[in-house]
Amino acid sequence: MQTLTLTRPDDWHLHLRDGAAMADVLPYTARQFARAIVMPNLKPPVTTSALAAAYRERILAALPSGLRFEPLMTLYLTDNTSADEIRRAKASGLVHGVKLYPAGATTNSDAGVTQLARCARALDAMQEVDLPLLVHGEVTHAHVDVFDRERAFIDEVLLPARRDFPALRVVFEHITTQEAAEYVAGADGRIAATITAHHLLYNRNRLFMTADGRTGMRPHWYCLPVLKRERHRQALLGAACGKLGRAERFFLGTDSAPHPKGEKESACGCAGCFTAASAVELYAMAFEEAGALDRLEAFASFNGPDFYGLPRNGERVTLERRDWTLPAELKFGDTVLVPLSAGEVLPWKLVT
Ligand code: NCD
Ligand code: ZN
């Protein structure tokens, strides 16, 4: 197969940042995707509909002319989010989900939720108005091994929350484990999951070695939830390609999360992989490895809008089989960022 034509995809989990840095990364996403769910973990976080509306205007103002792109906004859930704020968010028509960051779980999550029980009024209102909860699914207790934090979250947080708020619709964001994939495939239809390209392509060895097997710390592969063992990567590929059943519950969310080069290549490096400049191509590589390129369109373009209750896109995009090398660096405000897999050759290129 030399070309691949798909309905234009959407990105159901994206970090755009703000200001000049946002203006630099936004065109990469807008060139590939019609819409994206924009994460609210700015500093300070996007906690109200008014802040979300203002952020949306800044994104639209930064969009280069000729590119069409619709930012789908989210609110950042805190212990203090009120039921009224949730109702305002729904009524705005601009906010499509409310993001749960357990306090301290990841980049810019200091204002996150300390105990989900404190959010009962907000969660009640969300199930009443049908505004989905988007979860960063990791517990943060110091005694839980970093590689086990997602699995622990299912039992400790997700199951009780789904029992207490049975009508709440949930997106389990950027799942990384077999346990999460199996849970979503086996649960009721009010839960779905996003999967990143990097969790489909790489296991945790990649954090500690190059593609050709030389050892060394690889900070650009560090994200949260962290890459897991090969068995988990295989389970995620299986879920995305329909091997677990219920393929419609799994969809594309890049979790593209740009950071300045110096903050990644550091003694205490930030979590986050920048994939927006090569997102659809990386997913095509993963689906091709699984022998399931025919499954890519549903994952990238149908399952997300169907879950969010939005129309599927009308336009189409084409990928060509053509080797190209990912750039070493890209401009990022007054600094630069290093894309994931910089310098590596990808076999597919988006041409329209
Ligand atoms: C994200 C970021 O940098 O904002 N980082 C990451 O490793 N994925 C936050 C997040 O989604 O966890
Ligand atoms: Zn994220």
Side-chain angles (χ1 to χ4, degrees):
M1 199 191 295
Q2 295 305 313
T3 65
L4 187 60
T5 296
L6 308 174
T7 298
R8 184 175 287 282
D10 304 300
D11 184 351
W12 300 95
H13 184 125
L14 175 68
H15 300 270
L16 279 177
R17 314 306 188 204
D18 210 344
M22 179 259 283
D24 283 335
V25 293
L26 173 65
Y28 297 112
T29 291
R31 202 175 59 82
Q32 301 211 339
F33 299 104
R35 300 169 286 200
I37 285 276
V38 179
M39 288 294 131
N41 63 331
L42 301 184
K43 275 184 189 166
V46 180
T47 49
T48 65
S49 304
L51 288 170
Y55 185 27
R56 181 174 175 276
E57 289 305 321
R58 295 196 296 281
I59 296 167
L60 291 174
L63 197 61
S65 59
L67 280 179
R68 271 204 311 272
F69 172 71
E70 193 185 346
L72 306 172
M73 309 312 291
T74 58
L75 290 194
Y76 186 113
L77 185 67
T78 73
D79 291 359
N80 302 317
T81 306
S82 68
D84 282 347
E85 193 57 62
I86 297 298
R87 292 197 191 94
R88 269 195 295 277
K90 180 71 179 187
S92 76
L94 306 176
V95 175
H96 296 267
V98 179
K99 181 69 191 270
L100 162 63
Y101 287 104
T106 186
T107 307
N108 298 349
S109 63
D110 306 346
V113 169
T114 58
Q115 277 177 39
L116 199 53
R118 302 214 165 115
C119 302
R121 280 162 307 165
L123 295 170
D124 258 330
M126 284 162 63
Q127 58 175 2
E128 186 190 310
V129 301
D130 193 25
L131 197 54
L133 179 71
L134 318 182
V135 301
H136 182 109
E138 291 191 288
V139 299
T140 54
H141 326 298
H143 68 270
V144 181
D145 189 283
V146 166
F147 291 94
D148 295 332
R149 289 181 172 195
E150 183 173 287
R151 191 174 56 193
F153 180 88
I154 298 173
D155 294 328
E156 287 182 32
V157 184
L158 190 57
L159 292 176
R162 301 202 70 226
R163 181 195 61 218
D164 296 345
F165 304 93
L168 187 64
R169 290 191 314 125
V170 176
V171 183
F172 198 163
E173 299 287 348
H174 44 52
I175 59 167
T176 62
T177 58
Q178 181 177 357
E179 290 80 2
E182 287 175 352
Y183 172 69
V184 171
D188 61 67
R190 286 184 298 282
I191 189 162
T194 55
I195 310 180
T196 76
H198 41 290
H199 289 98
L200 292 174
L201 283 169
Y202 306 117
N203 65 37
R204 66 191 196 177
N205 283 5
R206 254 319 182 90
L207 274 166
F208 306 109
M209 56 188 63
T210 61
D212 55 8
R214 280 176 295 124
T215 56
M217 282 284 295
R218 309 284 287 160
H220 298 292
W221 274 262
Y222 174 57
C223 64
L224 287 169
V226 70
L227 294 173
K228 302 294 192 302
R229 288 178 179 278
E230 178 64 9
R231 130 176 114 79
H232 296 292
R233 186 181 80 90
Q234 290 296 337
L236 299 176
L237 267 179
C241 300
K243 293 203 183 102
L244 294 183
R246 298 293 181 191
E248 72 279 7
R249 293 187 190 163
F250 299 94
F251 41 84
L252 185 159
T254 62
D255 195 17
S256 180
H259 290 276
K261 176 179 180 175
E263 290 179 26
K264 295 283 296 171
E265 299 178 6
S266 147
C268 187
C270 297
C273 301
F274 180 75
T275 53
S278 53
V280 179
E281 291 97 338
L282 291 170
Y283 281 103
M285 230 169 113
F287 276 71
E288 182 160 53
E289 182 206 314
L293 271 177
D294 59 323
R295 297 283 196 149
L296 179 60
E297 185 177 38
F299 177 82
S301 315
F302 298 161
N303 301 345
D306 292 357
F307 185 83
Y308 275 91
L310 294 168
R312 295 178 179 180
N313 295 316
E315 273 177 53
R316 298 175 78 72
V317 297
T318 299
L319 292 112
E320 268 179 22
R321 187 180 295 287
R322 182 204 294 174
D323 283 356
W324 64 292
T325 305
L326 270 164
E329 291 180 355
L330 297 169
K331 184 175 173 301
F332 188 50
D334 55 10
T335 177
V336 293
L337 65 77
V338 177
L340 185 72
S341 308
E344 292 187 20
V345 175
L346 302 188
W348 288 99
K349 179 90 185 101
L350 187 78
V351 289
T352 51

